[in-house]
Amino acid sequence: MSQPSAELIQLFQPVEEGLDAMRACLTGQLEETSGAVSDMTGHVSRFRGKQLRAALVLLSAKACGTYTAEHPSVAAVVEMIHLATLVHDDILDGAEVRRRVACVNQRWDNQVAVLLGDFLYARAFALSTTLSSRLCSSLLAETTRTLCIGEIEQSSRRYDFEVERETLEGIAAAKTASLYAAACELGARYPGGEVELGETMKGFGRDLGLAFQLVDDCLDLVGDSRVVGKSTGTDVQDGKVTLPVWFVYRDASTAVRAAIRDAYTRPNVEDRAALLKEVVDVRPGVDATLARATALLEGARARLAPLPETPSRASLEEITRFVLRRTW
Amino acid sequence: MSQPSAELIQLFQPVEEGLDAMRACLTGQLEETSGAVSDMTGHVSRFRGKQLRAALVLLSAKACGTYTAEHPSVAAVVEMIHLATLVHDDILDGAEVRRRVACVNQRWDNQVAVLLGDFLYARAFALSTTLSSRLCSSLLAETTRTLCIGEIEQSSRRYDFEVERETLEGIAAAKTASLYAAACELGARYPGGEVELGETMKGFGRDLGLAFQLVDDCLDLVGDSRVVGKSTGTDVQDGKVTLPVWFVYRDASTAVRAAIRDAYTRPNVEDRAALLKEVVDVRPGVDATLARATALLEGARARLAPLPETPSRASLEEITRFVLRRTW
């Protein structure tokens, strides 16, 4: 499997060996005697990404002095759950299939993507049940449930501009931050105890993950897809009211609010994000969202204060800065 | 939640109390404080069905003398995994959405169905990790993986009339019989041991589940949708070569084989199963498939021989007969 970017390799340096073990474990898990399955899992590399969650498991464990030989497997379980969510995020609904079919290069059909995601979830849970402690399987089963609830809530709030800000942040916390929180908590607590340290790192992961999602929402709105490395404008296209748009809408006049809603809903619009940016300046919303992310990341760093100064702790701190400056 | 048919209530009578406890557990698991989620889980009753797998857990335990207070929860986990597979089976691929959108009453869009299925899987695994023994979570995580592999293999074999019969049966065993086998094995073995009894009941479940799938394939091909209670002809429509069609194709002349392939693939055919039945008599294939199912069910009954004569064993025997005469 390919490697993350040079900057991340640097940040992950304290857990390089563990990450190699994690990748070997992941590769082993995705091997199947079934030809049809291995054809599909081969494509999973398309979704591989930064392996940030896996690294957080290992860095948290090292920073807390709780690292064990099983931590790379725990990290692989976390990473597989993340991969499963990415694969299922790729499923298009009926409306989207009809809308996008002309322009989207669909690598697989929807059914196959559903099955591949299910396979990854099943593989993750199966691996977690082979570990010596049940903490990994119980914590990650609950976390997966929370992820699903977050996605379902988000789906139910599409086109809802009157949503409370707390609800929006709650959705981002559930669908994204919960897995970061679980990764860091498992790093600190697995296999047995360290409940207090676990709570500290869970808080760190939650703040980091929420900030990550807020930055992601900004990148989707104003990022350059060539730099971000994935298509942008998808949130507006899908009717998702993210925090930057929420801020802009809140502070807009009645006329501009109507124009914003129109950009989300008018039929036959090719690029809704572009239309939105024509009718309103989204920069103040982006700035307010990035300010919120900055505050969250400062909070995350403060949580690390009780930990001894180690290369792993330094990497965790640097990752909070990396989240704000990432451009993909 | 509604009840299964009168005939099944009779067959499930020895485990009535356990099934009530299983249903209460299931209802509790599907309750969510999130309004969006409970809106969706409310619709799950649409997929509820016979609860045969849950009953098999309980009947196997009673028949083996291994019933514990946790068995209803184990049965609920099995049932939730089954529900998740049904919800995900309902996902349409891009081609189908385009083909069916005019005639299908899509209750939710694909994305929501994916999330609901994921939620059910997550709930099932979360519940299994709260049980006293890990046997339930480890066995069902492996089984879920097998289910996915079976579905993926089936998907990869669409329109393949040259497939080996063993491959076809292997697919049916993986996608359907594996959960029956796990239900019966868990009934007999949970929480701790009874490996030999577990193997016996696993074999019983595997034979029963494979026969169930073969009968299902026949009903989809020749059943009356009003009696079967779900739409029929879907396998041919989806390009699935099931065992009855496989037999018919194997014994057909070159010309008829071409007509069969044409019925599966000719563009703009409304009802492919009807066309198939115009070009070839499928009854011999159905008869050969039902003969195979009958042999499997006889084998299943023979496996019960070592068990003491109890009402639960009698129900298990009767269920093997029920599978052949069911019409829905």
Side-chain angles (χ1 to χ4, degrees), chain B residues 84-144:
Chain B
T85 65
L86 288 184
V87 171
H88 278 180
D89 269 356
D90 233 38
I91 311 281
L92 302 177
D93 67 22
E96 287 167 324
V97 170
R98 288 191 297 281
R99 200 175 62 225
R100 293 191 189 176
V101 71
C103 57
V104 160
N105 172 22
Q106 273 182 268
R107 194 161 207 152
W108 312 297
D109 65 27
N110 275 339
Q111 282 182 328
V112 177
V114 172
L115 293 172
L116 177 59
D118 289 353
F119 173 82
L120 291 168
Y121 274 127
R123 261 306 202 188
F125 284 113
L127 175 58
S128 76
T129 63
T130 67
L131 298 174
S132 66
S133 158
R134 296 179 74 169
L135 186 63
C136 181
S137 46
S138 61
L139 193 67
L140 288 176
E142 273 305 326
T143 303
T144 305

Short mmCIF file of all heavy atoms in Angstrom, two decimals, chain B residues 84-144:
data_model
loop_
_atom_site.label_atom_id
_atom_site.label_comp_id
_atom_site.label_asym_id
_atom_site.label_seq_id
_atom_site.Cartn_x
_atom_site.Cartn_y
_atom_site.Cartn_z
N ALA B 84 -30.12 -6.25 8.86
CA ALA B 84 -29.15 -5.39 8.16
C ALA B 84 -28.92 -5.89 6.74
O ALA B 84 -28.89 -5.10 5.79
CB ALA B 84 -27.83 -5.34 8.93
N THR B 85 -28.80 -7.21 6.58
CA THR B 85 -28.58 -7.75 5.22
C THR B 85 -29.80 -7.47 4.33
O THR B 85 -29.64 -7.16 3.16
CB THR B 85 -28.29 -9.26 5.21
OG1 THR B 85 -29.44 -9.96 5.67
CG2 THR B 85 -27.11 -9.62 6.09
N LEU B 86 -31.01 -7.59 4.90
CA LEU B 86 -32.21 -7.33 4.10
C LEU B 86 -32.26 -5.87 3.65
O LEU B 86 -32.59 -5.58 2.50
CB LEU B 86 -33.48 -7.64 4.92
CG LEU B 86 -33.77 -9.10 5.18
CD1 LEU B 86 -35.10 -9.24 5.92
CD2 LEU B 86 -33.83 -9.89 3.89
N VAL B 87 -31.95 -4.96 4.57
CA VAL B 87 -31.98 -3.53 4.23
C VAL B 87 -30.96 -3.25 3.12
O VAL B 87 -31.26 -2.55 2.15
CB VAL B 87 -31.71 -2.67 5.48
CG1 VAL B 87 -31.51 -1.21 5.10
CG2 VAL B 87 -32.86 -2.80 6.47
N HIS B 88 -29.76 -3.83 3.24
CA HIS B 88 -28.74 -3.58 2.21
C HIS B 88 -29.05 -4.29 0.90
O HIS B 88 -28.65 -3.82 -0.16
CB HIS B 88 -27.35 -3.96 2.74
CG HIS B 88 -26.75 -2.88 3.57
ND1 HIS B 88 -25.51 -2.96 4.16
CD2 HIS B 88 -27.22 -1.65 3.92
CE1 HIS B 88 -25.25 -1.84 4.82
NE2 HIS B 88 -26.29 -1.05 4.71
N ASP B 89 -29.77 -5.42 0.97
CA ASP B 89 -30.21 -6.09 -0.27
C ASP B 89 -31.10 -5.19 -1.09
O ASP B 89 -31.24 -5.37 -2.31
CB ASP B 89 -31.00 -7.36 0.06
CG ASP B 89 -30.12 -8.57 0.14
OD1 ASP B 89 -28.92 -8.45 -0.14
OD2 ASP B 89 -30.63 -9.65 0.49
N ASP B 90 -31.75 -4.26 -0.40
CA ASP B 90 -32.72 -3.39 -1.05
C ASP B 90 -32.08 -2.24 -1.83
O ASP B 90 -32.78 -1.50 -2.51
CB ASP B 90 -33.63 -2.80 0.04
CG ASP B 90 -35.09 -3.04 -0.27
OD1 ASP B 90 -35.40 -4.12 -0.79
OD2 ASP B 90 -35.91 -2.14 -0.01
N ILE B 91 -30.76 -2.10 -1.68
CA ILE B 91 -30.08 -1.01 -2.38
C ILE B 91 -30.07 -1.29 -3.87
O ILE B 91 -29.73 -2.38 -4.29
CB ILE B 91 -28.61 -0.90 -1.92
CG1 ILE B 91 -28.50 -0.91 -0.41
CG2 ILE B 91 -27.92 0.31 -2.56
CD1 ILE B 91 -28.81 0.34 0.26
N LEU B 92 -30.42 -0.33 -4.63
CA LEU B 92 -30.40 -0.50 -6.07
C LEU B 92 -29.11 0.05 -6.64
O LEU B 92 -28.59 1.04 -6.16
CB LEU B 92 -31.58 0.25 -6.68
CG LEU B 92 -32.94 -0.17 -6.16
CD1 LEU B 92 -34.03 0.69 -6.79
CD2 LEU B 92 -33.21 -1.64 -6.47
N ASP B 93 -28.62 -0.61 -7.68
CA ASP B 93 -27.45 -0.03 -8.33
C ASP B 93 -27.91 1.01 -9.35
O ASP B 93 -29.10 1.20 -9.58
CB ASP B 93 -26.54 -1.10 -8.95
CG ASP B 93 -27.19 -1.81 -10.11
OD1 ASP B 93 -28.12 -1.26 -10.70
OD2 ASP B 93 -26.76 -2.92 -10.42
N GLY B 94 -26.93 1.70 -9.90
CA GLY B 94 -27.26 2.81 -10.79
C GLY B 94 -28.15 2.37 -11.94
O GLY B 94 -29.16 3.01 -12.24
N ALA B 95 -27.82 1.23 -12.54
CA ALA B 95 -28.60 0.74 -13.68
C ALA B 95 -30.05 0.48 -13.26
O ALA B 95 -30.98 0.84 -13.96
CB ALA B 95 -27.97 -0.54 -14.24
N GLU B 96 -30.19 -0.14 -12.10
CA GLU B 96 -31.54 -0.46 -11.64
C GLU B 96 -32.36 0.78 -11.33
O GLU B 96 -33.55 0.85 -11.60
CB GLU B 96 -31.48 -1.35 -10.40
CG GLU B 96 -31.04 -2.75 -10.74
CD GLU B 96 -30.68 -3.54 -9.51
OE1 GLU B 96 -30.13 -2.95 -8.55
OE2 GLU B 96 -30.96 -4.73 -9.50
N VAL B 97 -31.68 1.76 -10.71
CA VAL B 97 -32.40 3.00 -10.41
C VAL B 97 -32.95 3.57 -11.71
O VAL B 97 -34.11 3.94 -11.80
CB VAL B 97 -31.49 4.02 -9.71
CG1 VAL B 97 -32.18 5.38 -9.63
CG2 VAL B 97 -31.12 3.54 -8.32
N ARG B 98 -32.09 3.59 -12.72
CA ARG B 98 -32.55 4.15 -13.99
C ARG B 98 -33.66 3.30 -14.60
O ARG B 98 -34.61 3.83 -15.17
CB ARG B 98 -31.37 4.25 -14.97
CG ARG B 98 -30.38 5.36 -14.60
CD ARG B 98 -29.38 5.63 -15.70
NE ARG B 98 -28.54 4.49 -15.98
CZ ARG B 98 -27.47 4.14 -15.25
NH1 ARG B 98 -27.15 4.85 -14.19
NH2 ARG B 98 -26.74 3.10 -15.57
N ARG B 99 -33.54 1.99 -14.44
CA ARG B 99 -34.52 1.11 -15.07
C ARG B 99 -35.84 1.11 -14.31
O ARG B 99 -36.91 1.04 -14.88
CB ARG B 99 -33.95 -0.32 -15.12
CG ARG B 99 -34.60 -1.23 -16.12
CD ARG B 99 -33.88 -2.56 -16.17
NE ARG B 99 -33.94 -3.25 -14.89
CZ ARG B 99 -32.90 -3.84 -14.31
NH1 ARG B 99 -31.72 -3.81 -14.87
NH2 ARG B 99 -33.04 -4.44 -13.15
N ARG B 100 -35.74 1.14 -12.98
CA ARG B 100 -36.94 0.90 -12.19
C ARG B 100 -37.60 2.15 -11.66
O ARG B 100 -38.64 2.07 -11.03
CB ARG B 100 -36.56 0.05 -10.96
CG ARG B 100 -36.12 -1.33 -11.31
CD ARG B 100 -36.06 -2.12 -10.02
NE ARG B 100 -35.44 -3.41 -10.23
CZ ARG B 100 -35.19 -4.25 -9.26
NH1 ARG B 100 -35.51 -3.92 -8.02
NH2 ARG B 100 -34.62 -5.41 -9.49
N VAL B 101 -36.96 3.28 -11.83
CA VAL B 101 -37.40 4.44 -11.08
C VAL B 101 -38.87 4.77 -11.34
O VAL B 101 -39.56 5.27 -10.48
CB VAL B 101 -36.47 5.65 -11.36
CG1 VAL B 101 -36.69 6.17 -12.77
CG2 VAL B 101 -36.67 6.73 -10.34
N ALA B 102 -39.35 4.41 -12.52
CA ALA B 102 -40.74 4.73 -12.84
C ALA B 102 -41.72 3.82 -12.11
O ALA B 102 -42.84 4.21 -11.82
CB ALA B 102 -40.96 4.62 -14.34
N CYS B 103 -41.29 2.59 -11.81
CA CYS B 103 -42.27 1.64 -11.29
C CYS B 103 -42.05 1.25 -9.84
O CYS B 103 -42.89 0.64 -9.22
CB CYS B 103 -42.27 0.37 -12.15
SG CYS B 103 -40.67 -0.41 -12.24
N VAL B 104 -40.92 1.61 -9.30
CA VAL B 104 -40.65 1.16 -7.94
C VAL B 104 -41.00 2.24 -6.93
O VAL B 104 -40.67 3.40 -7.11
CB VAL B 104 -39.16 0.78 -7.78
CG1 VAL B 104 -38.74 0.79 -6.32
CG2 VAL B 104 -38.92 -0.59 -8.38
N ASN B 105 -41.68 1.82 -5.89
CA ASN B 105 -41.97 2.73 -4.81
C ASN B 105 -40.80 2.70 -3.83
O ASN B 105 -40.70 1.86 -2.95
CB ASN B 105 -43.27 2.27 -4.12
CG ASN B 105 -43.53 3.05 -2.85
OD1 ASN B 105 -43.02 4.16 -2.68
ND2 ASN B 105 -44.33 2.47 -1.97
N GLN B 106 -39.88 3.63 -4.03
CA GLN B 106 -38.69 3.66 -3.16
C GLN B 106 -39.03 4.38 -1.88
O GLN B 106 -39.28 5.59 -1.87
CB GLN B 106 -37.54 4.37 -3.87
CG GLN B 106 -36.74 3.45 -4.74
CD GLN B 106 -35.59 4.20 -5.36
OE1 GLN B 106 -35.72 4.70 -6.46
NE2 GLN B 106 -34.47 4.26 -4.65
N ARG B 107 -39.04 3.65 -0.80
CA ARG B 107 -39.43 4.26 0.46
C ARG B 107 -38.37 5.25 0.93
O ARG B 107 -38.66 6.30 1.48
CB ARG B 107 -39.61 3.17 1.50
CG ARG B 107 -40.32 3.68 2.74
CD ARG B 107 -40.85 2.49 3.48
NE ARG B 107 -42.01 2.77 4.27
CZ ARG B 107 -42.92 1.87 4.54
NH1 ARG B 107 -42.85 0.68 4.02
NH2 ARG B 107 -43.93 2.16 5.33
N TRP B 108 -37.12 4.89 0.81
CA TRP B 108 -36.04 5.81 1.13
C TRP B 108 -35.12 5.86 -0.07
O TRP B 108 -35.19 5.00 -0.93
CB TRP B 108 -35.18 5.28 2.27
CG TRP B 108 -35.93 4.82 3.42
CD1 TRP B 108 -36.75 5.58 4.22
CD2 TRP B 108 -35.97 3.50 3.95
NE1 TRP B 108 -37.28 4.79 5.20
CE2 TRP B 108 -36.82 3.52 5.05
CE3 TRP B 108 -35.36 2.31 3.59
CZ2 TRP B 108 -37.08 2.40 5.81
CZ3 TRP B 108 -35.61 1.19 4.35
CH2 TRP B 108 -36.46 1.24 5.44
N ASP B 109 -34.23 6.78 -0.06
CA ASP B 109 -33.22 6.74 -1.10
C ASP B 109 -32.12 5.78 -0.66
O ASP B 109 -32.08 5.29 0.47
CB ASP B 109 -32.71 8.14 -1.45
CG ASP B 109 -31.97 8.81 -0.31
OD1 ASP B 109 -31.41 8.09 0.54
OD2 ASP B 109 -31.94 10.03 -0.29
N ASN B 110 -31.25 5.47 -1.59
CA ASN B 110 -30.20 4.49 -1.32
C ASN B 110 -29.33 4.85 -0.13
O ASN B 110 -29.01 4.01 0.70
CB ASN B 110 -29.29 4.37 -2.56
CG ASN B 110 -29.85 3.39 -3.58
OD1 ASN B 110 -30.67 2.54 -3.23
ND2 ASN B 110 -29.41 3.52 -4.80
N GLN B 111 -28.93 6.12 -0.04
CA GLN B 111 -28.01 6.51 1.02
C GLN B 111 -28.58 6.21 2.39
O GLN B 111 -27.87 5.74 3.28
CB GLN B 111 -27.69 8.00 0.91
CG GLN B 111 -26.67 8.29 -0.17
CD GLN B 111 -26.32 9.76 -0.25
OE1 GLN B 111 -27.16 10.61 0.01
NE2 GLN B 111 -25.11 10.06 -0.63
N VAL B 112 -29.85 6.51 2.56
CA VAL B 112 -30.47 6.30 3.86
C VAL B 112 -30.54 4.80 4.17
O VAL B 112 -30.31 4.38 5.31
CB VAL B 112 -31.86 6.98 3.91
CG1 VAL B 112 -32.54 6.71 5.23
CG2 VAL B 112 -31.71 8.48 3.70
N ALA B 113 -30.83 4.00 3.16
CA ALA B 113 -30.88 2.56 3.37
C ALA B 113 -29.49 2.01 3.76
O ALA B 113 -29.38 1.13 4.61
CB ALA B 113 -31.39 1.85 2.11
N VAL B 114 -28.45 2.55 3.15
CA VAL B 114 -27.09 2.13 3.52
C VAL B 114 -26.84 2.44 4.99
O VAL B 114 -26.37 1.60 5.76
CB VAL B 114 -26.03 2.84 2.65
CG1 VAL B 114 -24.63 2.55 3.18
CG2 VAL B 114 -26.13 2.37 1.21
N LEU B 115 -27.20 3.65 5.40
CA LEU B 115 -26.95 4.07 6.78
C LEU B 115 -27.78 3.26 7.77
O LEU B 115 -27.29 2.88 8.84
CB LEU B 115 -27.29 5.56 6.93
CG LEU B 115 -26.36 6.49 6.16
CD1 LEU B 115 -26.88 7.92 6.22
CD2 LEU B 115 -24.95 6.41 6.72
N LEU B 116 -29.03 2.96 7.41
CA LEU B 116 -29.85 2.16 8.32
C LEU B 116 -29.27 0.76 8.47
O LEU B 116 -29.18 0.23 9.59
CB LEU B 116 -31.30 2.07 7.78
CG LEU B 116 -32.24 1.20 8.60
CD1 LEU B 116 -32.36 1.69 10.04
CD2 LEU B 116 -33.63 1.15 7.97
N GLY B 117 -28.83 0.15 7.37
CA GLY B 117 -28.19 -1.16 7.46
C GLY B 117 -26.93 -1.12 8.32
O GLY B 117 -26.72 -1.97 9.18
N ASP B 118 -26.12 -0.10 8.10
CA ASP B 118 -24.89 0.05 8.90
C ASP B 118 -25.23 0.20 10.38
O ASP B 118 -24.56 -0.36 11.25
CB ASP B 118 -24.10 1.29 8.45
CG ASP B 118 -23.46 1.10 7.09
OD1 ASP B 118 -23.50 -0.03 6.56
OD2 ASP B 118 -22.91 2.08 6.55
N PHE B 119 -26.26 0.99 10.65
CA PHE B 119 -26.70 1.19 12.04
C PHE B 119 -27.11 -0.14 12.66
O PHE B 119 -26.75 -0.45 13.80
CB PHE B 119 -27.87 2.19 12.06
CG PHE B 119 -28.49 2.34 13.41
CD1 PHE B 119 -27.92 3.18 14.37
CD2 PHE B 119 -29.65 1.66 13.75
CE1 PHE B 119 -28.48 3.32 15.63
CE2 PHE B 119 -30.22 1.79 15.00
CZ PHE B 119 -29.64 2.62 15.95
N LEU B 120 -27.85 -0.96 11.91
CA LEU B 120 -28.28 -2.26 12.43
C LEU B 120 -27.08 -3.18 12.69
O LEU B 120 -27.03 -3.86 13.72
CB LEU B 120 -29.27 -2.92 11.46
CG LEU B 120 -30.63 -2.24 11.36
CD1 LEU B 120 -31.43 -2.79 10.17
CD2 LEU B 120 -31.43 -2.42 12.65
N TYR B 121 -26.13 -3.21 11.77
CA TYR B 121 -24.91 -4.00 12.00
C TYR B 121 -24.19 -3.51 13.27
O TYR B 121 -23.77 -4.30 14.11
CB TYR B 121 -23.93 -3.86 10.82
CG TYR B 121 -24.15 -4.81 9.67
CD1 TYR B 121 -24.29 -4.35 8.37
CD2 TYR B 121 -24.21 -6.19 9.88
CE1 TYR B 121 -24.48 -5.21 7.30
CE2 TYR B 121 -24.39 -7.06 8.81
CZ TYR B 121 -24.53 -6.57 7.53
OH TYR B 121 -24.71 -7.43 6.47
N ALA B 122 -24.05 -2.19 13.37
CA ALA B 122 -23.32 -1.62 14.52
C ALA B 122 -24.04 -1.95 15.82
O ALA B 122 -23.41 -2.33 16.83
CB ALA B 122 -23.18 -0.11 14.36
N ARG B 123 -25.38 -1.82 15.82
CA ARG B 123 -26.17 -2.17 16.98
C ARG B 123 -25.98 -3.63 17.35
O ARG B 123 -25.85 -3.99 18.53
CB ARG B 123 -27.65 -1.92 16.67
CG ARG B 123 -28.20 -0.62 17.19
CD ARG B 123 -27.93 -0.53 18.63
NE ARG B 123 -28.80 0.38 19.34
CZ ARG B 123 -28.59 0.69 20.61
NH1 ARG B 123 -27.58 0.17 21.27
NH2 ARG B 123 -29.38 1.52 21.23
N ALA B 124 -26.00 -4.49 16.35
CA ALA B 124 -25.85 -5.93 16.58
C ALA B 124 -24.49 -6.21 17.23
O ALA B 124 -24.40 -6.92 18.24
CB ALA B 124 -25.99 -6.70 15.27
N PHE B 125 -23.42 -5.63 16.68
CA PHE B 125 -22.10 -5.89 17.23
C PHE B 125 -21.95 -5.27 18.61
O PHE B 125 -21.34 -5.87 19.50
CB PHE B 125 -21.01 -5.40 16.28
CG PHE B 125 -20.83 -6.32 15.12
CD1 PHE B 125 -21.14 -5.94 13.84
CD2 PHE B 125 -20.37 -7.62 15.34
CE1 PHE B 125 -21.02 -6.82 12.78
CE2 PHE B 125 -20.22 -8.51 14.29
CZ PHE B 125 -20.56 -8.10 13.00
N ALA B 126 -22.54 -4.08 18.80
CA ALA B 126 -22.46 -3.45 20.12
C ALA B 126 -23.16 -4.33 21.16
O ALA B 126 -22.63 -4.56 22.26
CB ALA B 126 -23.08 -2.05 20.08
N LEU B 127 -24.34 -4.85 20.82
CA LEU B 127 -25.05 -5.73 21.76
C LEU B 127 -24.22 -6.98 22.03
O LEU B 127 -24.09 -7.42 23.19
CB LEU B 127 -26.43 -6.10 21.19
CG LEU B 127 -27.25 -7.10 22.00
CD1 LEU B 127 -27.51 -6.60 23.43
CD2 LEU B 127 -28.60 -7.39 21.31
N SER B 128 -23.63 -7.55 20.98
CA SER B 128 -22.88 -8.79 21.18
C SER B 128 -21.67 -8.59 22.09
O SER B 128 -21.28 -9.50 22.81
CB SER B 128 -22.45 -9.39 19.82
OG SER B 128 -21.36 -8.68 19.28
N THR B 129 -21.11 -7.37 22.08
CA THR B 129 -19.93 -7.15 22.94
C THR B 129 -20.32 -6.96 24.40
O THR B 129 -19.45 -6.93 25.27
CB THR B 129 -19.10 -5.93 22.49
OG1 THR B 129 -19.90 -4.75 22.58
CG2 THR B 129 -18.58 -6.10 21.07
N THR B 130 -21.62 -6.81 24.70
CA THR B 130 -22.06 -6.68 26.10
C THR B 130 -22.35 -8.04 26.73
O THR B 130 -22.61 -8.12 27.93
CB THR B 130 -23.32 -5.82 26.23
OG1 THR B 130 -24.42 -6.53 25.61
CG2 THR B 130 -23.16 -4.47 25.56
N LEU B 131 -22.36 -9.10 25.93
CA LEU B 131 -22.69 -10.43 26.47
C LEU B 131 -21.51 -11.00 27.25
O LEU B 131 -20.37 -10.58 27.07
CB LEU B 131 -23.07 -11.37 25.32
CG LEU B 131 -24.32 -10.93 24.53
CD1 LEU B 131 -24.54 -11.84 23.33
CD2 LEU B 131 -25.55 -10.93 25.42
N SER B 132 -21.79 -11.96 28.12
CA SER B 132 -20.74 -12.45 29.02
C SER B 132 -19.66 -13.22 28.27
O SER B 132 -18.49 -13.18 28.64
CB SER B 132 -21.35 -13.32 30.12
OG SER B 132 -21.90 -14.50 29.56
N SER B 133 -20.03 -13.92 27.19
CA SER B 133 -19.04 -14.68 26.43
C SER B 133 -18.78 -13.99 25.09
O SER B 133 -19.66 -13.38 24.49
CB SER B 133 -19.56 -16.11 26.17
OG SER B 133 -18.91 -16.68 25.06
N ARG B 134 -17.54 -14.10 24.62
CA ARG B 134 -17.19 -13.50 23.34
C ARG B 134 -17.60 -14.37 22.16
O ARG B 134 -17.42 -13.97 21.01
CB ARG B 134 -15.67 -13.27 23.27
CG ARG B 134 -15.17 -12.29 24.30
CD ARG B 134 -13.67 -12.12 24.21
NE ARG B 134 -13.29 -11.32 23.04
CZ ARG B 134 -12.07 -10.85 22.85
NH1 ARG B 134 -11.12 -11.09 23.72
NH2 ARG B 134 -11.80 -10.13 21.78
N LEU B 135 -18.10 -15.57 22.44
CA LEU B 135 -18.41 -16.50 21.35
C LEU B 135 -19.37 -15.88 20.33
O LEU B 135 -19.21 -16.05 19.12
CB LEU B 135 -19.00 -17.80 21.92
CG LEU B 135 -19.25 -18.92 20.93
CD1 LEU B 135 -17.96 -19.41 20.30
CD2 LEU B 135 -19.99 -20.09 21.59
N CYS B 136 -20.36 -15.16 20.85
CA CYS B 136 -21.37 -14.56 19.97
C CYS B 136 -20.74 -13.53 19.03
O CYS B 136 -20.96 -13.57 17.81
CB CYS B 136 -22.47 -13.93 20.82
SG CYS B 136 -23.79 -13.17 19.87
N SER B 137 -19.94 -12.62 19.59
CA SER B 137 -19.37 -11.58 18.71
C SER B 137 -18.36 -12.16 17.73
O SER B 137 -18.33 -11.78 16.56
CB SER B 137 -18.78 -10.42 19.51
OG SER B 137 -17.99 -10.85 20.57
N SER B 138 -17.54 -13.10 18.18
CA SER B 138 -16.53 -13.62 17.26
C SER B 138 -17.17 -14.47 16.15
O SER B 138 -16.85 -14.31 14.98
CB SER B 138 -15.44 -14.40 18.01
OG SER B 138 -16.00 -15.50 18.67
N LEU B 139 -18.11 -15.34 16.54
CA LEU B 139 -18.74 -16.20 15.53
C LEU B 139 -19.55 -15.37 14.54
O LEU B 139 -19.51 -15.62 13.32
CB LEU B 139 -19.64 -17.23 16.22
CG LEU B 139 -20.12 -18.38 15.34
CD1 LEU B 139 -18.97 -19.28 14.93
CD2 LEU B 139 -21.19 -19.21 16.06
N LEU B 140 -20.26 -14.35 15.02
CA LEU B 140 -21.12 -13.58 14.12
C LEU B 140 -20.33 -12.59 13.28
O LEU B 140 -20.74 -12.26 12.16
CB LEU B 140 -22.25 -12.91 14.89
CG LEU B 140 -23.31 -13.90 15.37
CD1 LEU B 140 -24.36 -13.21 16.23
CD2 LEU B 140 -23.98 -14.62 14.20
N ALA B 141 -19.19 -12.12 13.79
CA ALA B 141 -18.35 -11.25 12.94
C ALA B 141 -17.82 -12.06 11.76
O ALA B 141 -17.84 -11.61 10.61
CB ALA B 141 -17.20 -10.66 13.76
N GLU B 142 -17.37 -13.29 12.04
CA GLU B 142 -16.90 -14.16 10.95
C GLU B 142 -18.04 -14.49 9.99
O GLU B 142 -17.86 -14.52 8.77
CB GLU B 142 -16.32 -15.47 11.52
CG GLU B 142 -14.86 -15.40 11.89
CD GLU B 142 -13.95 -14.93 10.73
OE1 GLU B 142 -14.24 -15.24 9.57
OE2 GLU B 142 -12.98 -14.21 11.02
N THR B 143 -19.22 -14.75 10.54
CA THR B 143 -20.36 -15.10 9.70
C THR B 143 -20.75 -13.93 8.80
O THR B 143 -21.07 -14.11 7.62
CB THR B 143 -21.56 -15.51 10.58
OG1 THR B 143 -21.15 -16.61 11.41
CG2 THR B 143 -22.75 -15.93 9.73
N THR B 144 -20.72 -12.73 9.35
CA THR B 144 -21.06 -11.54 8.56
C THR B 144 -20.09 -11.39 7.39
O THR B 144 -20.48 -11.05 6.27
CB THR B 144 -21.03 -10.28 9.44
OG1 THR B 144 -21.90 -10.48 10.55
CG2 THR B 144 -21.49 -9.06 8.67
#
